Amino acid sequence: MMRVLAVGPSATVQDLGRPGWFDSGVGVSGAADRASLRLANRLVGNPEDAAAIEVLLGGLAIRAEEPHLVAVTGAPAPATVDGVPVGHATALPLDAGQTLRLGFAPCGLRSYVSIRGGVVVEPVLGSRSRDTLAGLGPEPLRPGAPLPIGPAPPTWPPVDFAPVAPLPEVVEVRAIPGPRADRFADPQALFAGSWAVATETDRVGARLHRRSGPPLRRAMDGDLPTEGMALGAVQVPPSGEPVVFLADHPITGGYPVIAVVCDADVDLVAQARPGQPLRFRRAG
């Protein structure tokens, strides 16, 4: 058992989501940066899909009620144990009564805190993830709340530290044009110049503003009939400012999708902060 002492701007429980419910109108959700969640779990010897804590910007504090092994990955929020600085992407033992505290990350957007045994809140439709758009899954963490932890896995983690490349200053993501690129006068404009991440960014999607390059103009008026939306879809509303869909995206929409970000690069978009430059690179 652990106890939540502080949460910062936001902290939610996330695993790798609930696939298989599209026919019921429910999206996958799960960690916005899946690679960081997987790494955090590997560092403490959990299965990669175990539930952990996704922390927006930092500010989380949790106290161990009994000995635990934890790890922090993703955005490099400075971490301390009882005030002593500890490493990032490192397996960290906590004794009963000790407190892990995250400062605010100097770059990136989301940190992940895994605990050996995983967070074992009640699952909904097979997942412990909080879907912020649908309102499914466990409520966001609150100060004073208990955090139940499952039994430790039988195997011990093989490493106690993982070298992690720093997050880029300019985010470059690969994208495949289509399926509705023909709705735009110049679909290649998406790949020209650069964009900036807007403040209207959350787990649903990252809105982009044009920094340099030509605007995105439609070749025909009117919206499309509602159709399915994929993770990483780059949807363009009438404003011409694209939105890259992230973990809690709607599963249908009517605005045209000019391109889809390659799956491996969606995690990079999830870590991009408001104001950060972003460029698209054509992948197909």
Side-chain angles (χ1 to χ4, degrees):
M1 177 72 72
M2 302 196 78
R3 179 77 56 180
V4 179
L5 304 181
V7 296
S10 175
T12 58
V13 175
Q14 300 292 341
D15 54 24
L16 290 180
R18 49 180 66 83
W21 293 94
F22 272 25
D23 59 349
S24 299
V26 178
V28 174
S29 188
D33 179 353
R34 297 156 296 168
S36 291
L37 174 77
R38 290 186 174 106
L39 176 59
N41 277 321
R42 289 200 301 270
L43 283 166
V44 298
N46 285 342
E48 289 188 345
D49 61 352
I53 307 171
E54 181 179 279
V55 184
L56 180 65
L57 292 173
L60 178 77
I62 51 176
R63 185 180 65 228
E65 304 290 293
E66 54 191 358
H68 286 293
L69 187 69
V70 303
V72 182
T73 61
T80 62
V81 173
D82 285 353
V84 178
V86 292
H88 186 72
T90 301
L92 306 168
L94 296 181
D95 291 330
Q98 287 191 305
T99 296
L100 172 70
R101 192 176 297 272
L102 301 188
F104 286 90
C107 60
L109 207 55
R110 297 175 171 92
S111 300
Y112 292 83
V113 179
S114 63
I115 302 106
R116 184 168 169 81
V119 179
V120 290
V121 293
E122 189 69 24
V124 176
L125 299 180
S127 170
R128 295 183 167 97
S129 285
R130 175 65 177 180
D131 185 328
T132 59
L133 183 64
L136 286 176
E139 292 295 320
L141 300 186
R142 296 286 183 264
L147 199 63
I149 306 301
T155 57
W156 196 253
V159 298
D160 58 6
F161 169 74
V164 177
L167 293 171
E169 293 185 9
V170 178
V171 179
E172 293 198 3
V173 298
R174 298 162 296 166
I176 300 170
R180 302 299 179 190
D182 60 348
R183 304 280 295 192
F184 296 88
D186 180 13
Q188 294 308 309
L190 179 74
F191 302 95
S194 65
W195 303 86
V197 180
T199 56
E200 303 95 328
T201 292
D202 54 21
R203 284 181 46 84
V204 175
R207 184 177 295 278
L208 306 177
H209 295 321
R210 175 60 89 179
R211 291 180 77 242
S212 65
L216 287 176
R217 294 194 177 94
R218 295 194 189 183
M220 55 191 79
D221 295 327
D223 293 328
L224 295 162
T226 298
E227 57 187 1
M229 291 290 143
L231 179 69
V234 185
Q235 189 187 64
V236 185
S239 66
E241 295 184 332
V243 178
V244 182
F245 279 155
L246 299 177
D248 291 351
H249 68 88
I251 63 173
T252 61
Y255 295 142
V257 172
I258 191 172
V260 179
V261 173
C262 293
D263 186 74
D265 291 352
V266 173
D267 293 345
L268 293 174
V269 182
Q271 289 291 4
R273 296 176 85 143
Q276 191 167 5
L278 183 146
R279 295 192 182 102
F280 290 100
R281 294 288 178 258
R282 185 184 175 111

